[in-house]
Amino acid sequence: MTSPAPVEARRRPAAAPWLLRVLGAALLIGIAAVHAYLWQQGYRSIDVIGPAFLLQAALGVGAAVLVLVAPLRLLPWAAALGAAFAAGSLAALILSTTVGLFGFVESTTATLWWPSFWVEAAAAVVLPTLAVLAARGRQP
């Protein structure tokens, strides 16, 4: 018969959710940074797309902060919101490249297209994983 884990070990949060929390926040900051940079480099003059890029930058920073500071009981929701933000950003990137978005058609040869794709795709994987692990960690 094995003895139960000490109380300290049971109360200590696992390293994986903390690592995923920091990684998820970093990816959200990456999404925000790409959009802020491109807005500054001229996307600001594109109707609808310009304001959307500026909004993306602000929301990305806000989502990153939320993921970092959310209490454990709210972390599944914060991570899910971050995941939805990343997935929406990725969907907009793909739509703008394939059929166009608000009359704007992007190209995969555009500045930061590929880095944006990979950061958004990674965030769309890391953040739902964090949401699930955080939700499981709250269960008795």
Side-chain angles (χ1 to χ4, degrees):
M1 177 178 197
T2 60
S3 63
V7 173
E8 298 82 29
R10 285 183 279 164
R11 290 187 188 174
R12 191 176 333 132
W18 283 103
L19 178 63
L20 289 176
R21 185 187 279 231
V22 171
L23 179 58
L27 290 166
L28 290 167
I29 290 293
I31 293 170
V34 165
H35 284 85
Y37 176 80
L38 292 173
W39 180 83
Q40 187 180 34
Q41 295 302 310
Y43 279 58
R44 74 176 110 196
S45 64
I46 303 170
D47 286 337
V48 181
I49 298 297
F53 268 53
L54 189 57
L55 182 62
Q56 251 336 61
L59 291 176
V61 171
V65 170
L66 186 62
V67 166
L68 283 176
V69 303
L72 289 177
R73 64 185 175 79
L74 297 177
L75 182 57
W77 292 104
L81 285 172
F85 170 80
S89 187
L90 181 59
L93 177 66
I94 292 169
L95 280 173
S96 72
T97 308
T98 53
V99 297
L101 193 60
F102 303 112
F104 177 75
V105 179
E106 188 62 89
S107 167
T108 58
T109 61
T111 303
L112 297 181
W113 193 95
W114 284 104
S116 182
F117 174 82
W118 289 115
V119 168
E120 292 166 1
V125 171
V126 168
L127 290 162
T129 303
L130 174 60
V132 168
L133 288 176
R136 283 186 184 165
R138 293 184 324 146
Q139 296 173 358

